[in-house]
Amino acid sequence: MSGTLQYVPRALSTADSVVHLEYHPHQLAAVPGSDWTRFVCISDTHVQTFDIPDGDVLLHSGDLTNLGLLKEFEKVMEWIYQLPHKTKILIAGNHDLTLHEDWYQEEYHRWHRTAGKQERAKIVELLTGPRAREAGVVYLQDSSYTFRTKPEGRSWSVYGSPWSPWFHNWAFNYNREDGEALLSNFPATDILLTHGPPARILDRTQSLDFAGCADLRNHLPRLRPRLHVFGHIHESRGAHVHAWGPEGTNTLPEVTVIDDDDDDDEDEDNMDDLDIGFKPDEDCHGNEDVAVDRKDTGKDGDGTQRLHETVFVNASNSPAGKGTWRAGQRVPAGGPGFQPVVVDLRD
């Protein structure tokens, strides 16, 4: 029996961040204050369009398309141009085939034998040309960008990279043994956009494999971004806040939304039992889905520096895994459990 899909509001908050994982589209809480910035995180949209909440910055972690066709980019970029965010930062993913220039020159016949070799210059123009610039679009490919959201506000830095570990020779794949050479070039930055996740952080697949990059995980204690957004593993969509300890206590937890006993074929009709990826730092292995206590991460009255934190977001919008169905209905792209993740950070 069909009906209206229900939303189960879920949010995670600390002293310096608020993460909205699920919310009614017309009842999203306001930014906590004037000294905060709202980031709207999406990924793996695969040409699908849906409602996006307003915010200061839109972050897209790749897989804008299915196969990197010009007509796919034309559709998705028309959608992105019209979004209200003044700054829109995008990276590619393994499905955005034509953006991996050298690889595409050698491999296009595997993917576009019928459609024909795509006009890559036109695709790049959509991402970097006059219309893109006018709409505030910034395309990053192993590159950095700095911006302000307020005239007198702080400057934010972002680094974007499209690479993910090898998977059947898609675009922007690297052999795992080459990860260190790639990751060692990542600079410290406020915001890190990667298509693939770090190992054992929101990277578990339906087949119970951990698909993330171990070298990316190993470099995170050095990078310590305020916000790390990725996608690629649709079924592990979710968020996690990690508070970094003093020097020498930088061990990252394992964060998964897929348990060993998960049955991906089971229709999750019970809304109370539906795990949509809320993982508090204090119980990263459990199924807790209520707000964690706010962590102290600013400065105390005596000026003592509090713990620094990173918000990790798997922002995949294409439903996969047991969250694909809710109350007997198939969840659409960007629907409940796969909405854009809204992250508010204190400036």
Side-chain angles (χ1 to χ4, degrees), residues 284-323:
C284 64
H285 296 289
N287 294 312
E288 186 69 33
D289 60 6
V290 296
V292 298
D293 292 335
R294 295 168 72 84
K295 299 184 182 70
D296 233 0
T297 55
K299 286 189 176 180
D300 291 320
D302 62 1
T304 302
Q305 184 68 40
R306 299 174 188 160
L307 298 180
H308 178 65
E309 68 182 24
T310 294
V311 178
F312 292 98
V313 176
N314 180 329
S316 298
N317 298 117
S318 295
K322 69 178 184 179

Short mmCIF file of all heavy atoms in Angstrom, two decimals, residues 284-323:
data_model
loop_
_atom_site.label_atom_id
_atom_site.label_comp_id
_atom_site.label_asym_id
_atom_site.label_seq_id
_atom_site.Cartn_x
_atom_site.Cartn_y
_atom_site.Cartn_z
N CYS A 284 30.84 4.09 18.62
CA CYS A 284 30.93 3.97 17.16
C CYS A 284 30.58 2.58 16.67
O CYS A 284 30.32 2.39 15.49
CB CYS A 284 32.33 4.34 16.70
SG CYS A 284 33.62 3.25 17.30
N HIS A 285 30.52 1.60 17.55
CA HIS A 285 30.19 0.25 17.12
C HIS A 285 28.74 -0.10 17.39
O HIS A 285 28.27 -1.14 16.97
CB HIS A 285 31.09 -0.77 17.83
CG HIS A 285 32.52 -0.62 17.48
ND1 HIS A 285 33.04 -0.96 16.25
CD2 HIS A 285 33.57 -0.13 18.18
CE1 HIS A 285 34.33 -0.72 16.22
NE2 HIS A 285 34.68 -0.21 17.37
N GLY A 286 28.03 0.76 18.09
CA GLY A 286 26.66 0.44 18.48
C GLY A 286 25.65 0.97 17.49
O GLY A 286 25.98 1.40 16.40
N ASN A 287 24.39 0.95 17.90
CA ASN A 287 23.31 1.40 17.04
C ASN A 287 22.61 2.62 17.63
O ASN A 287 21.45 2.87 17.36
CB ASN A 287 22.29 0.28 16.84
CG ASN A 287 22.89 -0.86 16.05
OD1 ASN A 287 23.51 -0.63 15.02
ND2 ASN A 287 22.75 -2.08 16.54
N GLU A 288 23.33 3.36 18.46
CA GLU A 288 22.76 4.53 19.10
C GLU A 288 22.35 5.56 18.05
O GLU A 288 23.09 5.84 17.12
CB GLU A 288 23.80 5.16 20.04
CG GLU A 288 23.29 6.31 20.88
CD GLU A 288 22.30 5.84 21.91
OE1 GLU A 288 22.44 4.72 22.41
OE2 GLU A 288 21.37 6.61 22.20
N ASP A 289 21.18 6.14 18.19
CA ASP A 289 20.75 7.11 17.18
C ASP A 289 20.06 8.30 17.83
O ASP A 289 19.12 8.86 17.32
CB ASP A 289 19.84 6.47 16.14
CG ASP A 289 18.58 5.87 16.74
OD1 ASP A 289 18.35 6.04 17.94
OD2 ASP A 289 17.85 5.23 15.99
N VAL A 290 20.58 8.70 19.01
CA VAL A 290 20.14 9.92 19.64
C VAL A 290 21.33 10.85 19.73
O VAL A 290 22.48 10.44 19.63
CB VAL A 290 19.57 9.65 21.05
CG1 VAL A 290 18.32 8.80 20.96
CG2 VAL A 290 20.60 8.98 21.94
N ALA A 291 21.06 12.14 19.93
CA ALA A 291 22.13 13.13 19.89
C ALA A 291 23.15 12.88 20.99
O ALA A 291 22.81 12.57 22.13
CB ALA A 291 21.54 14.53 20.03
N VAL A 292 24.42 13.03 20.64
CA VAL A 292 25.48 12.87 21.62
C VAL A 292 25.59 14.13 22.45
O VAL A 292 25.12 15.20 22.08
CB VAL A 292 26.83 12.59 20.94
CG1 VAL A 292 26.78 11.32 20.15
CG2 VAL A 292 27.25 13.76 20.05
N ASP A 293 26.25 14.02 23.61
CA ASP A 293 26.53 15.20 24.41
C ASP A 293 27.46 16.11 23.63
O ASP A 293 28.35 15.66 22.91
CB ASP A 293 27.19 14.81 25.74
CG ASP A 293 26.23 14.05 26.64
OD1 ASP A 293 25.01 14.23 26.47
OD2 ASP A 293 26.71 13.28 27.50
N ARG A 294 27.30 17.40 23.82
CA ARG A 294 28.12 18.36 23.07
C ARG A 294 29.55 18.31 23.59
O ARG A 294 29.80 18.42 24.79
CB ARG A 294 27.54 19.76 23.21
CG ARG A 294 26.16 19.87 22.58
CD ARG A 294 25.48 21.16 22.97
NE ARG A 294 26.09 22.29 22.30
CZ ARG A 294 25.77 22.69 21.08
NH1 ARG A 294 24.86 22.03 20.39
NH2 ARG A 294 26.34 23.74 20.54
N LYS A 295 30.48 18.17 22.67
CA LYS A 295 31.89 18.11 23.03
C LYS A 295 32.46 19.52 23.10
O LYS A 295 32.11 20.39 22.31
CB LYS A 295 32.67 17.29 22.01
CG LYS A 295 32.23 15.85 21.89
CD LYS A 295 33.16 15.14 20.93
CE LYS A 295 32.72 13.70 20.73
NZ LYS A 295 31.48 13.62 19.96
N ASP A 296 33.40 19.73 24.02
CA ASP A 296 34.05 21.01 24.15
C ASP A 296 35.18 21.08 23.13
O ASP A 296 36.14 20.34 23.22
CB ASP A 296 34.64 21.14 25.54
CG ASP A 296 34.19 22.41 26.24
OD1 ASP A 296 33.43 23.18 25.64
OD2 ASP A 296 34.62 22.62 27.37
N THR A 297 35.08 21.99 22.16
CA THR A 297 36.11 22.02 21.11
C THR A 297 36.59 23.43 20.79
O THR A 297 37.37 23.62 19.86
CB THR A 297 35.57 21.39 19.82
OG1 THR A 297 34.36 22.05 19.46
CG2 THR A 297 35.31 19.90 20.01
N GLY A 298 36.14 24.42 21.54
CA GLY A 298 36.62 25.78 21.30
C GLY A 298 37.73 26.12 22.27
O GLY A 298 38.68 25.38 22.44
N LYS A 299 37.58 27.28 22.95
CA LYS A 299 38.56 27.64 23.97
C LYS A 299 37.83 27.89 25.28
O LYS A 299 36.75 28.45 25.32
CB LYS A 299 39.34 28.90 23.55
CG LYS A 299 40.36 28.65 22.46
CD LYS A 299 41.23 29.86 22.24
CE LYS A 299 42.31 29.57 21.22
NZ LYS A 299 43.19 30.73 20.98
N ASP A 300 38.46 27.48 26.37
CA ASP A 300 37.92 27.74 27.68
C ASP A 300 38.16 29.20 28.04
O ASP A 300 38.87 29.94 27.35
CB ASP A 300 38.57 26.82 28.71
CG ASP A 300 38.16 25.37 28.53
OD1 ASP A 300 36.97 25.14 28.24
OD2 ASP A 300 39.03 24.49 28.65
N GLY A 301 37.58 29.61 29.18
CA GLY A 301 37.72 31.00 29.60
C GLY A 301 39.16 31.42 29.83
O GLY A 301 39.50 32.59 29.69
N ASP A 302 40.01 30.47 30.18
CA ASP A 302 41.42 30.80 30.40
C ASP A 302 42.25 30.74 29.13
O ASP A 302 43.47 30.88 29.15
CB ASP A 302 42.03 29.88 31.46
CG ASP A 302 41.99 28.41 31.05
OD1 ASP A 302 41.52 28.12 29.92
OD2 ASP A 302 42.44 27.56 31.85
N GLY A 303 41.59 30.52 27.99
CA GLY A 303 42.29 30.48 26.71
C GLY A 303 42.83 29.13 26.33
O GLY A 303 43.44 28.97 25.27
N THR A 304 42.61 28.12 27.16
CA THR A 304 43.10 26.78 26.86
C THR A 304 42.38 26.22 25.63
O THR A 304 41.16 26.28 25.52
CB THR A 304 42.85 25.83 28.05
OG1 THR A 304 43.51 26.36 29.18
CG2 THR A 304 43.39 24.44 27.74
N GLN A 305 43.16 25.69 24.69
CA GLN A 305 42.57 25.15 23.47
C GLN A 305 41.83 23.85 23.76
O GLN A 305 42.37 22.96 24.42
CB GLN A 305 43.65 24.89 22.41
CG GLN A 305 43.10 24.43 21.08
CD GLN A 305 42.32 25.52 20.37
OE1 GLN A 305 42.73 26.68 20.39
NE2 GLN A 305 41.21 25.17 19.75
N ARG A 306 40.60 23.74 23.31
CA ARG A 306 39.85 22.50 23.46
C ARG A 306 40.19 21.55 22.32
O ARG A 306 40.93 21.91 21.40
CB ARG A 306 38.35 22.80 23.47
CG ARG A 306 37.92 23.72 24.61
CD ARG A 306 36.47 24.09 24.47
NE ARG A 306 36.10 25.12 25.44
CZ ARG A 306 35.05 25.90 25.32
NH1 ARG A 306 34.25 25.79 24.29
NH2 ARG A 306 34.76 26.80 26.24
N LEU A 307 39.62 20.37 22.36
CA LEU A 307 39.92 19.36 21.36
C LEU A 307 39.39 19.77 20.00
O LEU A 307 38.28 20.29 19.87
CB LEU A 307 39.31 18.02 21.77
CG LEU A 307 39.83 17.42 23.07
CD1 LEU A 307 39.13 16.10 23.33
CD2 LEU A 307 41.34 17.24 23.03
N HIS A 308 40.18 19.52 18.96
CA HIS A 308 39.77 19.77 17.58
C HIS A 308 38.96 18.57 17.10
O HIS A 308 39.18 17.45 17.54
CB HIS A 308 41.01 19.96 16.72
CG HIS A 308 40.70 20.17 15.28
ND1 HIS A 308 40.02 21.27 14.80
CD2 HIS A 308 40.98 19.42 14.18
CE1 HIS A 308 39.89 21.17 13.49
NE2 HIS A 308 40.46 20.06 13.09
N GLU A 309 38.01 18.80 16.21
CA GLU A 309 37.17 17.71 15.74
C GLU A 309 37.06 17.73 14.22
O GLU A 309 37.22 18.77 13.58
CB GLU A 309 35.77 17.78 16.36
CG GLU A 309 34.94 18.96 15.90
CD GLU A 309 33.58 19.03 16.58
OE1 GLU A 309 33.43 18.48 17.70
OE2 GLU A 309 32.66 19.65 16.01
N THR A 310 36.78 16.55 13.67
CA THR A 310 36.49 16.40 12.25
C THR A 310 35.11 15.79 12.09
O THR A 310 34.79 14.79 12.73
CB THR A 310 37.52 15.48 11.56
OG1 THR A 310 38.82 16.10 11.58
CG2 THR A 310 37.12 15.21 10.10
N VAL A 311 34.30 16.41 11.24
CA VAL A 311 33.01 15.85 10.88
C VAL A 311 33.20 15.04 9.60
O VAL A 311 33.60 15.59 8.57
CB VAL A 311 31.95 16.95 10.64
CG1 VAL A 311 30.62 16.33 10.23
CG2 VAL A 311 31.78 17.81 11.89
N PHE A 312 32.95 13.74 9.68
CA PHE A 312 33.03 12.86 8.52
C PHE A 312 31.62 12.67 7.97
O PHE A 312 30.69 12.35 8.71
CB PHE A 312 33.60 11.50 8.89
CG PHE A 312 35.05 11.53 9.30
CD1 PHE A 312 35.41 11.54 10.64
CD2 PHE A 312 36.05 11.54 8.34
CE1 PHE A 312 36.74 11.56 11.02
CE2 PHE A 312 37.39 11.56 8.70
CZ PHE A 312 37.75 11.58 10.05
N VAL A 313 31.47 12.82 6.65
CA VAL A 313 30.15 12.68 6.02
C VAL A 313 30.28 11.83 4.76
O VAL A 313 31.01 12.19 3.83
CB VAL A 313 29.54 14.04 5.64
CG1 VAL A 313 28.22 13.84 4.90
CG2 VAL A 313 29.32 14.91 6.87
N ASN A 314 29.58 10.69 4.75
CA ASN A 314 29.32 9.98 3.50
C ASN A 314 28.00 10.53 3.00
O ASN A 314 26.94 10.25 3.55
CB ASN A 314 29.24 8.47 3.72
CG ASN A 314 28.98 7.71 2.43
OD1 ASN A 314 28.32 8.21 1.51
ND2 ASN A 314 29.46 6.48 2.34
N ALA A 315 28.06 11.35 1.95
CA ALA A 315 26.91 12.14 1.52
C ALA A 315 26.15 11.51 0.35
O ALA A 315 25.40 12.20 -0.34
CB ALA A 315 27.37 13.55 1.14
N SER A 316 26.29 10.22 0.13
CA SER A 316 25.65 9.57 -1.02
C SER A 316 24.14 9.79 -1.00
O SER A 316 23.48 9.61 0.02
CB SER A 316 25.95 8.07 -1.00
OG SER A 316 27.33 7.81 -1.12
N ASN A 317 23.61 10.15 -2.16
CA ASN A 317 22.17 10.43 -2.29
C ASN A 317 21.41 9.35 -3.04
O ASN A 317 20.17 9.41 -3.10
CB ASN A 317 21.95 11.76 -3.00
CG ASN A 317 22.51 12.94 -2.24
OD1 ASN A 317 23.41 13.62 -2.72
ND2 ASN A 317 22.00 13.17 -1.04
N SER A 318 22.11 8.38 -3.63
CA SER A 318 21.44 7.30 -4.35
C SER A 318 21.21 6.14 -3.41
O SER A 318 22.16 5.51 -2.93
CB SER A 318 22.28 6.85 -5.55
OG SER A 318 22.38 7.89 -6.51
N PRO A 319 19.94 5.82 -3.10
CA PRO A 319 19.66 4.79 -2.11
C PRO A 319 20.26 3.44 -2.47
O PRO A 319 20.24 3.00 -3.62
CB PRO A 319 18.13 4.73 -2.09
CG PRO A 319 17.70 6.11 -2.51
CD PRO A 319 18.71 6.50 -3.55
N ALA A 320 20.79 2.77 -1.44
CA ALA A 320 21.33 1.42 -1.59
C ALA A 320 21.28 0.76 -0.22
O ALA A 320 21.18 1.44 0.81
CB ALA A 320 22.76 1.45 -2.13
N GLY A 321 21.34 -0.56 -0.20
CA GLY A 321 21.29 -1.28 1.06
C GLY A 321 19.89 -1.31 1.63
O GLY A 321 18.90 -1.05 0.94
N LYS A 322 19.79 -1.61 2.92
CA LYS A 322 18.47 -1.79 3.49
C LYS A 322 17.68 -0.49 3.61
O LYS A 322 16.47 -0.52 3.76
CB LYS A 322 18.57 -2.48 4.85
CG LYS A 322 19.17 -1.65 5.97
CD LYS A 322 19.15 -2.45 7.26
CE LYS A 322 19.66 -1.65 8.45
NZ LYS A 322 19.61 -2.44 9.70
N GLY A 323 18.36 0.65 3.52
CA GLY A 323 17.65 1.92 3.54
C GLY A 323 16.92 2.24 2.25
O GLY A 323 16.23 3.26 2.16
#
